[in-house]
Amino acid sequence: MLTETTGRTPQALATELAVLREVDWASVWAGPPQGGSELRQWCGRYGWEPLTFDRQLVVRGRSGGELTLYSNGQWSPVSSVRYDAWQVRAGEAAENASVLSSADQAWPGYLDAAVGVLGAPVWAGSWDAEDFPEPPTPAFWRDRQSRLSKRSPYRLAYWAPRSADGAVLVLDQSVSFPTWTQDLPGGSMICLTARAATVTGGAG
């Protein structure tokens, strides 16, 4: 059977986005304090609870989900913040068609939740759209050749920064390669990623 592993809802995504819309991005990109009361205070400004401290910070957001502050394992500077909004996995390959159906059904609700907080995106669409935009930098999403060969991102929407040191907010849906086969169970995920507009590489 299909299993949704995050336990997060479109409303939870909206809750996290309402926070991210107002954060001090210059402070986030500079990186959090190393620990102790300063870190708790820094996280507390956004209603975050620090969870892990190894290499990069993971926090529990206001909706109960986790956000990862990616920093290439160096703690700072932070290059992106990621929130996994939805993930479904098949138990067996015979369910792969259901993965795709579930992905089709899930995306509109999460996109609508994001639009409700952020307004209309700069662009939204699927992997095979004729006007699918090239990424502002290679780290943001796959270029045309890779996207068409891998169907990834399967769907995408993005919002421009609200300030010079703000974040490009990207909501994307992926479908794992096994989903297109008849041999292995597949899956699909919807993620929100906030990226520094000046990022030129890195993970997250």
Side-chain angles (χ1 to χ4, degrees):
M1 61 179 293
L2 298 185
T3 303
E4 203 290 314
T5 61
T6 66
R8 309 267 69 87
T9 64
Q11 182 54 50
L13 172 64
T15 297
E16 301 302 343
L17 275 172
V19 175
L20 293 174
R21 183 184 58 188
E22 305 299 335
V23 301
D24 177 2
W25 284 112
S27 173
V28 171
W29 303 140
Q34 290 294 318
S37 61
E38 289 186 358
L39 175 61
R40 290 192 294 273
Q41 183 178 9
W42 187 88
C43 291
R45 289 187 292 175
Y46 311 121
W48 296 342
E49 176 191 353
L51 297 176
T52 66
F53 309 92
D54 183 26
R55 297 174 62 84
Q56 54 204 10
L57 178 64
V58 177
V59 300
R60 178 174 291 114
R62 294 190 183 183
S63 71
E66 295 182 3
L67 297 94
T68 301
L69 282 68
Y70 285 96
S71 55
N72 292 324
Q74 303 297 317
W75 191 261
S76 65
V78 171
S79 61
S80 65
V81 179
R82 172 171 161 152
Y83 172 79
D84 294 342
W86 176 87
Q87 183 176 29
V88 68
R89 293 176 177 169
E92 55 185 358
E95 297 171 334
N96 285 346
S98 296
V99 169
L100 294 174
S101 297
S102 183
D104 291 343
Q105 294 168 9
W107 175 256
Y110 288 88
L111 177 59
D112 286 350
V115 170
V117 177
L118 303 174
V122 174
W123 188 88
S126 61
W127 67 277
D128 56 351
E130 290 290 337
D131 63 340
F132 200 106
E134 287 299 298
T137 72
F140 280 41
W141 56 80
R142 295 180 186 273
D143 63 19
R144 175 179 172 82
Q145 182 177 355
S146 179
R147 169 174 49 83
L148 291 177
S149 66
K150 299 181 182 298
R151 306 184 205 184
S152 178
Y154 190 63
R155 292 186 177 92
L156 179 140
Y158 81 98
W159 291 260
R162 301 176 70 195
S163 63
D165 59 0
V168 177
L169 295 171
V170 179
L171 186 70
D172 73 87
Q173 183 177 56
S174 62
V175 174
S176 66
F177 173 75
T179 312
W180 309 108
T181 74
Q182 299 180 355
D183 304 317
L184 297 169
S188 179
M189 176 179 281
I190 297 175
C191 297
L192 171 75
T193 308
R195 296 190 182 276
T198 56
V199 167
T200 56

